[in-house]
Amino acid sequence: MVLNLFMVPQQIEIQTALPDNDEERTLLALLSHEPRHVDEIIRESELTTQTVTSTLTMLQFKGAIRQLGGMQYVLAR
């Protein structure tokens, strides 16, 4: 097994930079370790569908959340 340890500093930096904007703060406040469907997140956030889906994607890239399948999201940590 090969460990990709050269990316560890970048991963730590990305995780400490959260959240970057109001949309990320809003969505992170709505998420927990219990799965929530994207439709429920959109409804409760009162943000546009496009804003929610793009922000969720960015939060996944940053390692803050995970998609479990079936459009269900949870906090990653």
Side-chain angles (χ1 to χ4, degrees):
M1 176 169 85
V2 177
L3 298 176
N4 190 2
L5 296 178
F6 72 93
M7 293 297 292
V8 170
Q10 290 87 346
Q11 292 292 332
I12 292 170
E13 180 180 336
I14 287 171
Q15 289 181 356
T16 59
L18 292 173
D20 285 338
N21 55 49
D22 289 339
E23 290 83 6
E24 288 183 1
R25 273 186 281 284
T26 298
L27 297 186
L28 287 171
L30 291 173
L31 293 170
S32 69
H33 296 288
E34 294 295 319
R36 298 202 63 189
H37 192 271
V38 69
D39 290 341
E40 182 180 356
I41 298 167
I42 292 166
R43 191 171 39 257
E44 290 190 28
S45 71
E46 298 181 352
L47 298 170
T48 67
T49 300
Q50 181 180 359
T51 298
V52 170
T53 56
S54 63
T55 303
L56 289 173
T57 300
M58 288 307 298
L59 289 169
Q60 286 181 81
F61 287 144
K62 293 178 178 184
I65 67 170
R66 294 183 306 134
Q67 182 183 15
L68 302 178
M71 300 302 287
Q72 302 276 333
Y73 293 88
V74 295
L75 292 175
R77 44 188 162 133

